Amino acid sequence: MKKKSIVMIIFLIGALLSGCSDTYSHSRGVYMLLDTSGTYKSELNKANAIINYLLGTLQTGDFLGVARIDTGSFSEQDIIAKAKFDRRPSVSNTQKRIFREKMDQFLSSIKSSPFTDVNGGILQAVEYLNEINPAEKYILIFSDLKEELVKGYVRDFPIQMNGLIVVALNVTKLQSDNIDPREYLDRLDYWKNRVEQGGGKWQVVNDPERLDEIMKG
Amino acid sequence: MPLPDFLILFPDFPLLSFFVWILLIVLMLYLARFPAHRAIKLLGCSIRNGMRLISKSILLAEKRLAQRNKEVLLAAGRNAVERLIEREFYRVDAVVKRDLSGYPALQLALSDQVTRIEEDYQRSAELPPPPPTWVNAVEAVAKISSKGDINVSNILQEIHKTIDSQYRNTMEDYRKSMNERHFILRKMVPYWRKLTQKLDEVSKTIAGLKERAGIIDNRMEEYEEIRAKTDKAERILSSSAMTQFFISGLVLLIAIGGAIINFNLIALPMSEMVGGSSYIGQFKTSNVAALVIILVEAAMGLYLMESLRITNLFPVIGLMDDKMRIRMIWITFGILTILAGVESALAFMREGIAADLQALRHSLANGETLEPVNSWIPTAGQMVMGFILPFALTFVAIPLESFVHASRAVAGVVAAAALRGFAFLLRLIGAVAYYASELMIKIYDLFIVPPLWIEKLIQGKDKETEVSPQEEAT
């Protein structure tokens, strides 16, 4: 009888402990790339609003990173700010305030880059998100998606993007797109194919309010 | 619709083939008429009988369930009445202990009062001494005629004076005595009042006891009815259970509302303690922790009510010896107070977190820093609510007990009604199947009307031929 009750207690404690473990991660990881090339620099003020939206939407335990796209974007030096929000709401709020300050500083002292390495930025984002491994991974590209690489930079290889949602934001039309709109459509198709071939999901959002629907899933 | 090739008997006359087939089918149906009728009838009857059988067994089960319901109801009623009677006896006991335990003292006080009154009365009854006996002698002398005799006249005058002074003395004594008697009687008034007061008190106590005895009589009548298992008692208990079920259900809903408010009050600050990003299954750990706190409070409230013997959901607690029970009361009350304090602190934290979050959202939306509103009223309100709600939840035990007890009876009644309905449905299906088989037989006969008509004609002729030789004989 005594033995039976001890086994019962052990079983109950085991059941309780197994019930307490986190069986499923609910965190979200968002990596945002900002195009700082000369043609796109003037658009960056809009990016500020999106970053503020993300800071307001992301919860404790989520990750947010912002990096710039410049001549060579596959580098940690291009990361402007990054934070994994603490599990405590009060600490998380402080982190968000610091993040915002960093972004303000960056946007006030931004320098345009002569080239645009979008692929490098995406590769950096994929690396980073896979390392953190949140439940939902988003790469937001705030760019016109026109890639201009320095001679010798190799980017024409496939990138593994399994489980990633790549969202192109505010894809502006260039002067040349106005002359031949097929260029714009070809550009979008190129990136769509590249993402989907890598196993990712591609979306284009020109209205920032639609971002809410995508983030909610 | 054209006939399939294998059915065409005369390729040149498809219509003829069709009619031949019809004829054959009708003939076949006619020949198979009686076995087909029997088969259809058998099917209908077997469905009806099967359904009746199932319905009967369901009705038997319903009867057993109704009997069990009655027993449950009567047992619950008996327990309730027993508890009520017990409580009434406790009250009577309390009254007797409180008021009538002092009865010997009261009797002593009353007899003391009566003795005093009696003594005073006796003292007040003391009369002044009667006039001296020589007055009679003087009276006789006074009757002697003086008739000019100066000596006699003087003697009489002297006697008169003496009598006068005696009269005055006697009157004075009398008045004095009367005054004393009045004084004694005046002194008796407070004693009389005290006596009346004490008798009133006794009378009130006796009236209260009489009232209680009346209530006990009524309860005993109810108890007798329940023990006799009368239908009246069952009806009363059933309706009472229904009422209890709905009322306690309503109160429980209100309590659930309170628990939800309580939950919202502590769920957000809980994320500060256990983290806002961890999950248990599909639920946030902070939400689960808040829920657990509320459930623990409800459980403590339940134990407290049990220990206080207000509810009787766990007989083990009620049967504990008083020392242990009182210890349990203090322990549960202590845990409840600590949890209420924790909730109050969480409610305080909630206000701070909510204000910080609001300020952050405002600064992100407008780029301006929001000045926090320094008002202590919402904070104090939330803290008070956080402290009071756990104690308020304690009382959930009372409607919960009623709900549990009443739901047994109500569930039994509902199950019995469902069984009755099901049995009726099965009987209906059986009857429908039976009459459907009858209808099918009639429809079957419709298809073979021509051979039936011919058969009738032949039978008619046969009858005629059978009848005609008799007729001839007559």
Side-chain angles (χ1 to χ4, degrees):
Chain A
M1 188 70 189
K2 207 176 176 183
K3 254 188 180 177
K4 261 188 181 177
S5 48
I6 289 166
V7 169
M8 196 77 165
I9 289 165
I10 291 167
F11 175 75
L12 279 172
I13 291 168
L16 276 170
L17 286 175
S18 64
C20 286
S21 62
D22 191 353
T23 51
Y24 179 70
S25 171
H26 294 255
S27 63
R28 288 181 293 182
V30 181
Y31 198 98
M32 190 169 175
L33 295 166
L34 302 178
D35 190 345
T36 57
S37 64
T39 51
Y40 203 76
K41 196 186 153 190
S42 57
E43 298 287 327
L44 283 177
N45 283 333
K46 290 180 190 171
N48 201 20
I50 292 169
I51 291 163
N52 283 346
Y53 162 77
L54 289 172
L55 286 171
T57 310
L58 293 173
Q59 302 287 315
T60 53
D62 290 346
F63 167 81
L64 177 63
V66 179
R68 66 170 163 252
I69 298 171
D70 56 7
T71 307
S73 309
F74 186 56
S75 162
E76 274 84 9
Q77 285 175 349
D78 284 325
I79 296 171
I80 304 155
K82 63 177 189 328
K84 188 178 191 307
F85 299 122
D86 195 84
R87 63 192 193 98
R88 286 166 296 169
S90 58
V91 180
S92 163
N93 287 350
T94 312
Q95 283 176 310
K96 285 176 181 177
R97 284 195 179 93
I98 293 167
F99 199 103
R100 191 168 175 265
E101 276 171 23
K102 277 186 185 172
M103 285 313 302
D104 286 345
Q105 277 173 14
F106 167 73
L107 289 169
S108 62
S109 61
I110 191 167
K111 283 176 190 165
S112 63
S113 65
F115 294 95
T116 316
D117 177 15
V118 180
N119 269 305
I122 290 176
L123 200 60
Q124 176 68 31
V126 171
E127 287 276 304
Y128 214 93
L129 286 173
N130 283 340
E131 192 185 323
I132 292 161
N133 199 24
E136 294 171 28
K137 300 168 192 168
Y138 297 91
I139 296 174
L140 309 183
I141 309 170
F142 196 77
S143 166
D144 53 16
L145 299 176
K146 175 89 174 167
E147 190 165 55
E148 288 167 317
L149 293 171
V150 180
K151 202 176 176 186
Y153 275 50
V154 181
R155 296 290 185 259
D156 55 348
F157 53 87
I159 305 170
Q160 281 300 312
M161 286 187 255
N162 287 326
L164 275 157
I165 299 168
V166 182
V167 185
L169 295 162
N170 195 45
V171 185
T172 51
K173 281 95 183 173
L174 303 168
Q175 191 67 35
S176 56
D177 294 340
N178 210 2
I179 297 161
D180 184 2
R182 282 177 298 177
E183 269 188 35
Y184 173 77
L185 296 172
D186 287 346
R187 210 161 60 237
L188 286 180
D189 274 350
Y190 164 77
W191 285 109
K192 186 175 187 276
N193 290 333
R194 191 154 170 70
V195 169
E196 286 178 354
Q197 276 167 10
K201 201 175 158 193
W202 172 258
Q203 277 183 319
V204 179
V205 175
N206 282 322
D207 179 9
E209 284 181 11
R210 272 196 58 223
L211 192 61
D212 195 32
E213 294 167 23
I214 292 162
M215 296 293 287
K216 278 176 185 166
Chain B
M1 201 177 80
L3 281 173
D5 289 344
F6 69 93
L7 291 178
I8 296 171
L9 302 172
F10 312 103
D12 297 334
F13 305 98
L15 202 66
L16 186 67
S17 300
F18 178 75
F19 279 114
V20 168
W21 275 115
I22 291 282
L23 195 71
L24 280 171
I25 289 166
V26 168
L27 200 65
M28 288 289 286
L29 285 172
Y30 174 72
L31 291 173
R33 187 187 170 209
F34 291 112
H37 278 192
R38 273 200 299 276
I40 294 168
K41 189 128 185 151
L42 197 66
L43 181 72
C45 283
S46 55
I47 291 172
R48 186 178 70 167
N49 291 344
M51 290 296 168
R52 276 186 167 187
L53 203 68
I54 300 169
S55 161
K56 210 167 192 177
S57 59
I58 287 172
L59 281 175
L60 273 174
E62 187 268 331
K63 220 173 214 174
R64 275 202 296 275
L65 185 67
Q67 183 61 31
R68 174 246 171 214
N69 284 348
K70 189 175 177 177
E71 276 164 18
V72 166
L73 209 61
L74 290 172
R78 199 168 55 232
N79 280 345
V81 176
E82 270 172 5
R83 279 176 78 179
L84 284 171
I85 291 171
E86 200 180 30
R87 199 159 291 176
E88 286 302 327
F89 273 118
Y90 272 124
R91 281 177 188 159
V92 169
D93 183 49
V95 170
V96 169
K97 272 183 186 159
R98 191 189 65 211
D99 299 326
L100 297 184
S101 63
Y103 188 72
L106 182 77
Q107 195 187 15
L108 205 68
L110 280 176
S111 76
D112 186 43
Q113 298 290 333
V114 169
T115 316
R116 276 167 188 250
I117 288 166
E118 209 174 305
E119 278 170 8
D120 286 348
Y121 178 73
Q122 275 170 5
R123 276 168 61 203
S124 71
E126 277 174 13
L127 291 169
T133 46
W134 51 263
V135 172
N136 294 332
V138 171
E139 204 180 340
V141 174
K143 281 177 186 172
I144 300 166
S145 173
S146 59
K147 287 191 179 169
D149 192 343
I150 292 164
N151 289 331
V152 173
S153 175
N154 286 341
I155 289 163
L156 285 174
Q157 270 176 2
E158 281 303 314
I159 288 168
H160 182 73
K161 274 181 193 169
T162 310
I163 285 172
D164 267 357
S165 80
Q166 188 63 41
Y167 174 74
R168 267 196 294 276
N169 285 341
T170 307
M171 281 308 288
E172 206 171 310
D173 285 347
Y174 182 74
R175 281 194 192 106
K176 214 173 169 181
S177 158
M178 280 303 284
N179 275 341
E180 276 174 13
R181 283 172 70 192
H182 280 150
F183 180 70
I184 290 163
L185 284 171
R186 230 185 355 261
K187 263 171 61 186
M188 277 167 69
V189 172
Y191 292 121
W192 277 114
R193 277 188 191 144
K194 266 188 190 171
L195 196 66
T196 316
Q197 216 173 334
K198 286 207 187 302
L199 285 172
D200 280 350
E201 277 171 23
V202 172
S203 166
K204 270 181 195 166
T205 307
I206 298 296
L209 281 175
K210 208 175 163 186
E211 201 180 312
R212 293 261 165 249
I215 293 168
I216 289 169
D217 278 349
N218 289 340
R219 297 283 178 219
M220 282 308 288
E221 268 174 33
E222 272 178 48
Y223 189 68
E224 287 298 321
E225 292 261 4
I226 292 168
R227 272 185 67 88
K229 295 181 180 177
T230 61
D231 288 342
K232 186 188 161 194
E234 191 197 351
R235 249 192 336 270
I236 291 168
L237 288 172
S238 177
S239 108
S240 165
M242 287 280 182
T243 316
Q244 281 292 309
F245 180 78
F246 287 111
I247 290 172
S248 55
L250 187 72
V251 177
L252 277 180
L253 280 178
I254 293 167
I256 288 168
I260 290 169
I261 289 171
N262 207 1
F263 172 80
N264 284 321
L265 210 60
I266 62 171
L268 179 66
M270 261 292 164
S271 60
E272 196 68 24
M273 289 165 79
V274 296
S277 54
S278 61
Y279 281 75
I280 296 173
Q282 289 294 311
F283 305 102
K284 272 189 167 183
T285 309
S286 56
N287 288 354
V288 173
L291 194 68
V292 166
I293 285 192
I294 291 165
L295 291 177
V296 168
E297 281 167 4
M300 285 302 135
L302 209 64
Y303 295 145
L304 184 63
M305 286 289 164
E306 285 290 316
S307 312
L308 288 167
R309 285 185 179 156
I310 292 171
T311 56
N312 194 25
L313 283 168
F314 303 103
V316 179
I317 299 174
L319 292 171
M320 278 177 183
D321 65 289
D322 282 356
K323 204 176 165 186
M324 187 63 127
R325 208 167 47 79
I326 288 164
R327 208 175 286 168
M328 195 159 168
I329 289 170
W330 284 112
I331 289 168
T332 48
F333 185 72
I335 293 172
L336 211 55
T337 314
I338 291 165
L339 286 172
V342 168
E343 269 209 25
S344 194
L346 286 172
F348 176 72
M349 266 172 75
R350 182 187 187 276
E351 189 59 23
I353 294 167
D356 187 36
L357 204 65
Q358 185 67 25
L360 177 72
R361 281 185 182 151
H362 191 266
S363 72
L364 288 173
N366 305 327
E368 297 164 3
T369 313
L370 190 73
E371 284 297 316
V373 182
N374 285 322
S375 174
W376 57 269
I377 297 170
T379 314
Q382 289 188 29
M383 284 178 75
V384 169
M385 265 173 77
F387 194 80
I388 285 174
L389 279 172
F391 290 105
L393 274 178
T394 304
F395 294 95
V396 172
I398 299 167
L400 183 71
E401 187 188 34
S402 298
F403 190 78
V404 168
H405 287 314
S407 58
R408 278 183 78 194
V410 172
V413 169
V414 170
L419 283 177
R420 266 201 305 278
F422 191 49
F424 169 77
L425 192 72
L426 287 175
R427 282 182 80 91
L428 190 72
I429 290 169
V432 167
Y434 178 76
Y435 288 109
S437 73
E438 294 275 324
L439 186 70
M440 275 168 74
I441 288 167
K442 301 286 179 209
I443 291 166
Y444 188 97
D445 283 353
L446 265 179
F447 285 112
I448 52 169
V449 164
L452 284 176
W453 180 68
I454 294 164
E455 186 196 87
K456 208 173 180 184
L457 273 181
I458 292 165
Q459 276 177 351
K461 269 192 178 176
D462 283 351
K463 272 182 187 171
E464 274 176 23
T465 48
E466 277 171 20
V467 170
S468 53
Q470 286 172 348
E471 280 173 353
E472 278 169 14
T474 51

